[in-house]
Amino acid sequence: MPGARKRALGTPALGSGLALGYLSIIVLVPLAAVAAKAADGGWHHFWQVAWNPESRAALELTFELAGGVVAINAVTGTALAWTLVRDEFPGKRFVNTLIDLPFALPTIVAGLTLLALYGPTGGIGVDVAYTRWGVLMALLFVTLPFVVRTVQPVLIELDRDMEEAAASLGAGRFTVFRRIVFPHLLPALLSGVTLAFARAIGEFGAVILIAGNLPFKTEVASLYVFEHINSDDPTGASALAMLMLVISFGLLLAVGALRRWATRHDR
Amino acid sequence: MAIEARNVTKRFGDFLALDDVSISVESGSLTGLLGPSGSGKSTLLRVIAGLETPDTGEVFISGKEATAVAPQKRGVGFVFQHYAPFTHMTVWDNIAFGLSIRRRPKEEIHARVTELLELVQLNGLGKRYPSQLSGGQRQRMALARALAAEPELLLLDEPFGALDARVRKELREWLLRLHDEMHVTTIFVTHDQEEALEVADNVVVMNAGRVEQVAPPRELYDHPANPFVMSFVGPVNRLGEAWVRPHDIEITHEPNGVAQEAQVERIVRLGFEVRVDLVRDDGERLHVQLTRNEAEVLELAPSDIVYVRTRVERTFSENGEPTRPAPSSVS
């Protein structure tokens, strides 16, 4: 009985009051402050500072890169999780630990490392510094663990009997993956790419060194905000922040709906 | 579809699951693989389905060598012990799976699934998900799914193991009827001797990775090949060198020369069957089965002194071969 359990832990009103209070202090009030800042000069002014050619370029680049990060991570993250769960190879434990490294490393160090190897002085003939490819690599580096770590446990728990049953019914390996395995991974995969997406649109530390911050070329939203704060334009910074907030929230809602659809059989 | 396994051996690490096993199954028959857990019966079934590859030995399907053929190319319906439902698909889609991946026309799939839902008595439940079914319904769905693509061989791994006794009995009878109607070659695994004797027309008894005996149920019960089979296919009393079934012991109130004295310890009445536990004066315990009528005539009560005599007892030589059974007194 869910009702009984709720009562045992205190009244529902107390619990939701605490949750909402905490959420307000940590998230809602600061966001409201940003919104207030952005709206300083009224709606018309907000729109003017938020939607200019430079901010638009930054927003477009940010979401393009985040989209690329999602697409690449969905494939490589699933493949990595698959290898770690289903295959046996020497050094598997080491690789498994390696996956978490981007989480453990300060992101500025990640940027530094990438610049050292793939920068002008890298010495391997690849120079992606101050290019969009460099930014993409930095983002892929910091978002690597998300899909792997959300898909891996689901793959471990997945009932192998189901795959054998499908095989005995005539399904080849690809059909088994497409019809049986993938639908079970989808909810976790959606969580993973959502986290990766959120990280990619907000990433600052790993990007700042390798991007070189060239407006219209490598300036992503976070760098735009940073630059405008630096050049004493907090309203412009807040306005773009507000815009990103609205777009991201909309995307999160859409992913939530997709997840509910993907887990419809569990209810 | 006739099946033959020749000299099949399979190891899992240090564990020898199948030790040089050879069996042959006639087309259209209903065969039970019977044995305790770890005897290799499920592994043998999985080897036949192609879900395991034997270390050595061969599998022949309809006379053709098929040891290395992938499971999806064997034309086999496999029902898993825990049914392995596709939890993300409706009952309908589960059953249709084998047909839809073969890209059969929509109308054909619709007709076949409707027919199968009828056959397994799940009409009207096609839109449900497996998590919304009872154990018995899930089992029937798994059967329908395995039957959908009209396999020539149906393999069932402990098909009724996880169900309660009443549902189990119903499904057993249902499987028998189904087999009579469809004549698909069927092999099922069970650890329940009663299930094997009731359902199968031929039983393969397995123990520790080896085949102990292959025989029809009645012969298995009446002429067990060795002490293992004797004790596995039914309850037994061990009396020195001899093995006696509980219903082959006769109880009387009068000693008549060849009978021996014993004391009634416990009486259990199970409807038609009455079980009597006796202790002989040498301390040996005997389990006896009587019919209700026999028990009523005897009017037994705990701590009564009675006389016992065996009707049939069996002895086996040292290498496990049966020696001639003969009626005699309890030695």
Side-chain angles (χ1 to χ4, degrees):
Chain A
M1 289 283 148
R5 200 175 301 145
K6 255 187 206 159
R7 265 193 296 282
L9 284 173
T11 63
L14 181 63
S16 55
L18 275 174
L20 277 178
Y22 181 77
L23 209 62
S24 300
I25 293 167
I26 299 293
V27 183
L28 294 178
V29 173
L31 286 183
V34 172
K37 190 92 207 164
D40 256 358
W43 176 250
H44 184 70
H45 181 67
F46 167 81
W47 197 244
Q48 251 180 355
V49 292
W51 199 248
N52 57 61
E54 191 192 337
S55 74
R56 247 172 61 191
L59 272 180
E60 274 173 24
L61 178 62
T62 303
F63 283 100
E64 265 170 37
L65 285 170
V69 163
V70 163
I72 296 172
N73 266 317
V75 176
T76 56
T78 307
L80 269 170
W82 183 275
T83 310
L84 285 172
V85 173
R86 293 290 171 90
D87 296 341
E88 288 303 325
F89 55 92
K92 181 167 152 174
R93 277 212 187 143
F94 177 72
V95 174
N96 196 18
T97 314
L98 209 62
I99 301 283
D100 286 329
L101 208 58
F103 277 165
L105 220 55
T107 52
I108 189 92
V109 178
L112 204 64
T113 325
L114 287 172
L115 197 61
L117 188 59
Y118 299 121
T121 54
I124 54 166
V126 181
D127 181 6
V128 292
Y130 320 129
T131 68
R132 293 181 170 191
W133 292 110
V135 179
L136 181 65
M137 275 183 71
L139 293 179
L140 286 175
F141 182 89
V142 295
T143 54
L144 170 81
F146 289 109
V147 170
V148 180
R149 289 298 183 236
T150 47
V151 168
Q152 200 177 16
V154 181
L155 212 46
I156 290 172
E157 289 296 311
L158 193 66
D159 186 5
R160 293 295 286 271
D161 280 1
M162 249 191 284
E163 290 164 59
E164 292 188 338
S168 77
L169 289 166
R173 291 178 69 171
F174 179 71
T175 308
V176 172
F177 183 81
R178 189 173 62 86
R179 297 282 308 265
I180 308 296
V181 178
F182 185 72
H184 285 271
L185 298 186
L186 187 58
L189 186 60
L190 284 174
S191 297
V193 297
T194 308
L195 291 170
F197 182 83
R199 180 71 186 264
I201 58 172
E203 183 57 35
F204 178 73
V207 175
I208 186 160
L209 287 180
I210 207 155
N213 196 20
L214 310 167
F216 297 102
K217 193 181 171 208
T218 61
E219 190 183 53
V220 292
S222 61
L223 297 179
Y224 177 95
V225 171
F226 180 71
E227 276 308 308
H228 280 253
I229 301 256
N230 261 357
S231 55
D232 204 20
D233 177 20
T235 314
S238 307
L240 186 84
M242 218 34 235
L243 214 53
M244 290 200 50
L245 193 70
V246 171
I247 298 171
S248 302
F249 192 62
L251 283 168
L252 281 181
L253 284 179
V255 173
L258 203 57
R259 258 184 71 86
R260 269 196 301 285
W261 173 80
T263 55
R264 65 203 177 284
H265 46 81
D266 292 341
R267 287 186 300 273
Chain B
M1 192 194 260
I3 303 298
E4 200 185 339
R6 268 187 220 158
N7 309 103
V8 169
T9 297
K10 176 77 186 175
R11 278 175 188 283
F12 296 106
D14 288 340
F15 179 68
L16 184 58
L18 293 174
D19 182 6
D20 195 26
V21 167
S22 300
I23 63 163
S24 93
V25 172
E26 266 175 55
S27 185
S29 68
L30 179 50
T31 302
L33 298 181
L34 173 67
S37 41
S39 60
K41 54 196 193 305
S42 286
T43 307
L44 181 58
L45 199 73
R46 292 171 60 83
V47 165
I48 294 170
L51 297 172
E52 304 283 355
T53 315
D55 298 336
T56 58
E58 287 141 349
V59 176
F60 292 83
I61 297 177
S62 299
K64 284 201 204 94
E65 217 271 347
T67 319
V69 174
Q72 62 263 33
K73 295 190 176 125
R74 294 197 181 198
V76 162
F78 198 103
V79 177
F80 289 77
Q81 188 171 1
H82 301 290
Y83 325 133
F86 301 143
T87 49
H88 58 299
M89 294 182 196
T90 60
V91 170
W92 181 282
D93 290 340
N94 263 275
I95 296 173
F97 185 83
L99 300 169
S100 72
I101 60 168
R102 285 177 177 77
R103 302 190 190 287
R104 297 276 178 82
K106 279 221 167 65
E107 311 77 61
E108 185 194 325
I109 294 180
H110 190 274
R112 180 77 179 135
V113 175
T114 310
E115 179 193 331
L116 280 163
L117 280 172
E118 178 93 21
L119 180 77
V120 299
Q121 295 150 17
L122 290 176
N123 332 36
L125 301 182
K127 287 206 176 75
R128 293 217 189 157
Y129 285 100
S131 60
Q132 299 165 318
L133 299 181
S134 72
Q137 290 171 333
R138 247 177 263 179
Q139 167 67 288
R140 294 204 298 271
M141 181 196 84
L143 263 163
R145 184 178 72 181
L147 290 170
E150 293 174 333
E152 289 176 78
L153 175 63
L154 185 60
L155 303 174
L156 308 121
D157 190 1
E158 298 270 4
F160 314 123
L163 300 168
D164 66 59
R166 198 173 57 84
V167 179
R168 217 154 123 164
K169 197 161 163 47
E170 274 172 27
L171 275 177
R172 257 189 232 170
E173 285 161 12
W174 180 81
L175 178 69
L176 261 176
R177 277 203 309 277
L178 190 78
H179 183 258
D180 283 345
E181 285 165 24
M182 314 220 322
H183 287 292
V184 54
T185 310
T186 305
I187 306 178
F188 71 98
V189 159
T190 180
H191 60 262
D192 179 346
Q193 40 86 18
E194 197 183 308
E195 195 163 282
L197 297 186
E198 181 182 327
V199 177
D201 42 46
N202 212 16
V203 180
V204 178
V205 183
M206 295 189 64
N207 182 35
R210 296 182 148 274
V211 173
E212 298 281 352
Q213 187 173 5
V214 183
R218 181 162 178 188
E219 194 186 320
L220 205 63
Y221 193 83
D222 291 342
H223 302 287
N226 55 42
F228 176 82
V229 177
M230 172 96 195
S231 58
F232 198 77
V233 299
V236 282
N237 292 291
R238 181 87 199 259
L239 301 167
E241 294 301 300
W243 305 71
V244 186
R245 296 252 182 248
H247 51 75
D248 285 333
I249 294 176
E250 193 181 337
I251 298 179
T252 57
H253 283 296
E254 303 300 324
N256 51 3
V258 288
Q260 198 183 11
E261 197 177 293
Q263 188 174 28
V264 176
E265 194 179 52
R266 206 165 80 99
I267 302 169
V268 181
R269 288 166 213 279
L270 294 164
F272 178 73
E273 180 190 339
V274 178
R275 289 183 197 163
V276 185
D277 292 350
L278 302 168
V279 187
R280 284 196 319 199
D281 46 11
D282 59 4
E284 193 88 62
R285 277 202 157 64
L286 291 177
H287 302 287
V288 182
Q289 268 177 312
L290 302 174
T291 65
R292 196 175 58 181
N293 290 348
E294 285 170 339
E296 267 171 19
V297 171
L298 284 166
E299 292 179 339
L300 294 176
S303 77
D304 277 3
I305 300 295
V306 293
Y307 298 88
V308 291
R309 192 168 80 83
T310 59
R311 294 190 196 98
V312 183
E313 61 182 46
R314 258 164 245 289
T315 53
F316 298 92
S317 70
E318 265 173 36
N319 61 16
E321 298 288 310
T323 46
R324 194 177 58 86
S328 70
S329 68
V330 174
S331 55

